Amino acid sequence: MQQSDLTKFFECMKAGNVVKGDMLRLFNELSQEAIKITMEINNKYHTPEEIVELFSELTGKKTDESFRLFPPFYTDCGKNITVGKNVFINACCKFQDQGGITIGDGVLIGHNVTLATLNHDEKPSKRQNIYPKPIKIGNNVWIGSNATILAGVTVGDGAIIGANAVVTKDVPQNTIVAGVPAKVIRKVKAS
């Protein structure tokens, strides 16, 4: 993919406007590239160093050597993921990252977590319309297994997302949320 197309893609996603026309072609091209790279990650043993290299190729950004990923891992874009240092992603996670996923330093992501940055129009006549909104995960966040974080959510530093939670709203820093939809349970205990 040409850099001009990638720039156009990032601008469109950041604006959060409805995705249509030529942007759908870019979605498809990015998806095909992501499928190719994730198939390589998921279907053959790789050393931790090789995983870092493949993840860098997937995102188009240098991934820190402290990054750890247990395959399989799934994404339908890849290029709109940014990860910090000392990030761990456990097996079977699914990132729908077209709208943008930013993960801070020291983040732990449990098995089978879904991060979904796209939404569809509520009206049946416009249901095919796609709207991107970013997900931002702060530093030192722990996301429990099978949690789902939806488009437009920001998770504050030090927060904990309980297993199986569905996060539809921003999570304040240093809080624990759980449930469907996720609600604040309590503050994180100080050390």
Side-chain angles (χ1 to χ4, degrees):
M1 174 172 289
Q2 295 181 12
Q3 186 58 43
S4 61
D5 282 344
L6 210 47
T7 300
K8 184 177 173 183
F9 168 78
F10 289 133
E11 288 171 357
C12 180
M13 295 304 100
K14 189 174 181 179
N17 297 327
V18 65
V19 176
K20 57 185 173 184
D22 195 43
M23 197 52 51
L24 292 174
R25 176 189 61 80
L26 292 177
F27 263 50
N28 187 52
E29 286 181 29
L30 289 167
S31 293
Q32 292 305 306
E33 183 178 337
I35 289 168
K36 180 181 175 187
I37 297 167
T38 56
M39 290 290 285
E40 174 65 26
I41 290 171
N42 296 338
N43 292 300
K44 176 179 164 186
Y45 172 76
H46 295 283
T47 66
E49 295 79 16
E50 291 170 332
I51 291 287
V52 168
E53 287 178 32
L54 286 163
F55 204 81
S56 295
E57 182 182 349
L58 178 67
T59 63
K61 303 170 192 85
K62 178 152 177 39
T63 302
D64 190 78
E65 64 186 26
S66 62
F67 175 78
R68 292 293 174 259
L69 169 73
F70 286 179
F73 174 78
Y74 306 96
T75 186
D76 50 8
C77 179
K79 294 297 186 250
N80 217 356
I81 299 171
T82 302
V83 296
K85 295 178 181 178
N86 297 310
V87 169
F88 172 70
I89 300 173
N90 218 324
C92 301
C93 290
K94 298 172 245 8
F95 288 11
Q96 181 192 54
D97 67 289
Q98 286 93 334
I101 295 173
T102 303
I103 299 170
D105 296 337
V107 173
L108 304 172
I109 300 178
H111 290 93
N112 206 37
V113 167
T114 299
L115 304 180
T117 66
L118 299 177
N119 210 341
H120 292 273
D121 204 298
E122 184 176 323
K123 297 175 190 140
S125 63
K126 296 183 178 183
R127 189 74 39 88
Q128 297 299 318
N129 290 350
I130 301 171
Y131 299 93
K133 286 188 181 174
I135 292 173
K136 297 175 185 168
I137 310 295
N139 296 323
N140 302 308
V141 169
W142 173 20
I143 303 173
S145 295
N146 295 302
T148 298
I149 300 176
L150 298 179
V153 168
T154 296
V155 178
D157 292 348
I160 298 173
I161 310 298
N164 292 308
V166 176
V167 183
T168 61
K169 296 179 180 167
D170 289 354
V171 177
Q173 67 181 13
N174 297 313
T175 59
I176 300 171
V177 300
V180 179
K183 293 180 175 40
V184 173
I185 303 299
R186 64 177 170 82
K187 290 293 242 178
V188 172
K189 293 178 183 175
S191 31

